Amino acid sequence: MKSNLTPLGPKADKDTVRRSNLSLVLRAVRDEGEGEATRAGVAARVGLTRAAVSSLVEQLLETGFLTESGKTFSGQAGRPGTALKTARTGPAGLGVEVNIDYVSVCVVDLAGTGRVRLTEHLDNRGTPPAEVLARAARIAARTLDSAREQELYPVGVALALPGLVSGGAVRQAPNLGWNQVPAEELFAAALTSEHPGHQALPVRSENEANLAALAELWFGGLERIRSFLYLTGEIGVGGALVIDGELLRGAHGFAGEIGHVVVDPSGPQCRCGSRGCLEQYAGQAALLRAAGVDGGGGLGVAELEKRVRAGDERAVGAVAEAGRMLGRVLSGAVNLLDPDAVVLGGIYRNLMPWLAAPVDEELTGRVVSGLWAPGAGRLRASSVAGDAARGAAALVMTDVLADPVAYARPAPA
């Protein structure tokens, strides 16, 4: 969750300046990750005096956002500094991913570390939206209990949802059969019902591929890459675009629906109402069907992986054909958007040893810039850390990091 750190100018009022500077210092310590942050190091990073940073650090220590322990030597002349870390207790983010065949809930702390995770495999197709979201709320309520046992108190919820998501609603999610579903409202009511007497948490929502891409950006192994196209394969095929470290949502919040790019206008009927969408060739159901694997969900995907590892010709051929279709669609996206890399997540991650060659071949032959070449590192598997539930939980924490004063709990009497 790297961020640009820019102090405010002199015209801002003192309270605004201090709140902004508290955010700068907290984010600087958080960005240090496993390294050792010191007051002197933070001052150099954010462009404030050591005295100002020391005062800000003291406030963050008092309000429980930072902890300090031991001594760390900077390698420079002078006294050693005290090592600073973000606290492992206090404000936390709750992320809830609702997908076609599972619900996954994650709690992260200030550092973005996943502290609690619960996943249940459920067939949500054909189930009324209110019931699906009530299921998710029950799982989330159990997660909240586990978080509080670790002295974490979630301050908000972000829902990761498939399909077209905007304005607190799922406008369309073809694989779930949802249309105009007020997901935030339904989930908030269900969570309040599961946790009566507890303060209601604010709820926001976002497309699940967008949040998986943010998780990859913040926690993945992309190093210096800040512009990439993220593709996730589940029952559907979702996409997201990150440009210069920022998610591109589009004018209406619907950017990234790459699974419904038409590969063949006379192809199979898609749930979206069109024909021959990429999802019908490279989605989970299409892959399993082409590979001759019975069943679906996690068990079906595990069986597919088992067969391709064993060299089963039909399974290997199905994955290769899906790779070719992915490569053709991705080449158009790369020509249009010019990302530094393409990252494949979801079920594609574990299939990369068999997907990479056909995808790379299509990209190499079709990307007009000539910048694409097999083995150049532009096609990558997503990291283990990159998932929508964690991205959702971390999205909540961006508000805390932006204004820690607003989330400070009063000290006990």
Side-chain angles (χ1 to χ4, degrees):
M1 295 174 67
K2 297 291 184 184
S3 51
N4 296 323
L5 306 175
T6 306
L8 291 182
K11 292 185 179 180
D13 66 80
K14 289 184 178 181
D15 181 64
T16 301
V17 169
R18 187 165 184 84
R19 292 175 81 129
S20 176
N21 287 341
L22 283 165
S23 171
L24 287 173
V25 170
L26 182 58
R27 285 183 287 151
V29 174
R30 187 280 317 271
D31 288 350
E32 198 67 38
E34 295 301 315
E36 292 185 328
T38 65
R39 288 167 172 79
V42 169
R45 179 181 174 89
V46 303
L48 296 170
T49 67
R50 291 182 63 170
V53 166
S54 183
S55 172
L56 295 163
V57 165
E58 289 304 319
Q59 185 174 344
L60 291 168
L61 289 168
E62 289 171 6
T63 50
F65 288 96
L66 294 181
T67 62
E68 60 181 345
S69 60
K71 299 289 185 181
T72 178
F73 290 86
S74 65
Q76 299 175 352
R79 297 171 60 188
T82 304
L84 300 168
K85 295 280 188 183
T86 52
R88 287 182 56 81
T89 59
L94 177 66
V96 180
E97 180 185 3
V98 178
N99 220 304
I100 288 85
D101 55 358
Y102 66 88
V103 171
S104 187
V105 182
C106 180
V107 173
V108 303
D109 59 20
L110 278 166
T113 304
R115 299 286 297 279
V116 184
R117 168 80 72 163
L118 287 177
T119 300
E120 288 194 11
H121 294 279
L122 306 160
D123 188 353
N124 293 319
R125 284 165 288 200
T127 305
E131 186 176 333
V132 173
L133 292 163
R135 290 174 178 173
R138 286 194 288 272
I139 300 168
R142 298 204 307 272
T143 309
L144 286 172
D145 291 336
S146 297
R148 285 169 179 140
E149 289 173 3
Q150 299 184 49
E151 298 183 59
L152 292 165
Y153 56 94
V155 296
V157 186
L159 301 176
L161 303 166
L164 305 181
V165 182
S166 72
V170 177
R171 305 299 176 183
Q172 184 184 27
N175 289 308
L176 279 174
W178 289 12
N179 289 283
Q180 304 301 326
V181 174
E184 290 181 12
E185 179 184 332
L186 291 171
F187 179 86
L191 186 60
T192 299
S193 177
E194 291 292 329
H195 256 230
H198 289 274
Q199 182 178 358
L201 296 176
V203 180
R204 69 174 73 177
S205 58
E206 179 65 82
N207 173 267
E208 52 88 19
N210 285 348
L211 290 169
L214 287 177
E216 194 68 34
L217 173 71
W218 291 333
F219 310 117
L222 291 178
E223 301 156 357
R224 297 179 183 274
I225 293 177
R226 306 287 287 169
S227 298
F228 62 93
L229 180 62
Y230 183 90
L231 205 69
T232 179
E234 302 290 349
I235 299 296
V237 178
L241 181 66
V242 174
I243 299 292
D244 293 332
E246 297 291 336
L247 188 66
L248 181 68
R249 289 182 170 84
H252 307 96
F254 302 151
E257 288 297 319
I258 198 168
H260 297 289
V261 172
V262 174
V263 176
D264 179 0
S266 61
Q269 183 76 40
C270 182
R271 287 179 180 270
C272 74
S274 186
R275 283 188 172 275
C277 295
L278 175 63
E279 189 173 291
Q280 299 304 309
Y281 299 91
Q284 178 179 304
L287 258 172
L288 296 179
R289 184 170 57 250
V293 175
D294 295 326
L299 292 176
V301 172
E303 177 62 23
L304 173 63
E305 292 175 12
K306 178 181 175 182
R307 292 189 188 186
V308 292
R309 286 193 178 93
D312 179 272
E313 288 187 11
R314 184 173 178 182
V316 171
V319 172
E321 180 62 17
R324 282 187 284 273
M325 293 299 186
L326 285 169
R328 289 172 193 172
V329 171
L330 284 168
S331 65
V334 170
N335 282 333
L336 182 65
L337 302 167
D338 189 29
D340 285 330
V342 171
V343 181
L344 300 184
I347 65 171
Y348 301 141
R349 181 183 182 279
N350 289 344
L351 294 173
M352 277 295 281
W354 303 273
L355 272 177
V359 173
D360 249 341
E361 183 179 353
E362 292 292 334
L363 285 163
T364 301
R366 297 174 185 273
V367 172
V368 295
S369 67
L371 296 176
W372 201 279
R378 297 190 69 187
L379 179 67
R380 301 181 175 211
S382 68
S383 69
V384 175
D387 67 83
R390 189 179 181 195
L395 184 64
V396 173
M397 297 309 289
T398 59
D399 290 340
V400 180
L401 292 161
D403 187 9
V405 171
Y407 295 90
R409 284 197 159 185

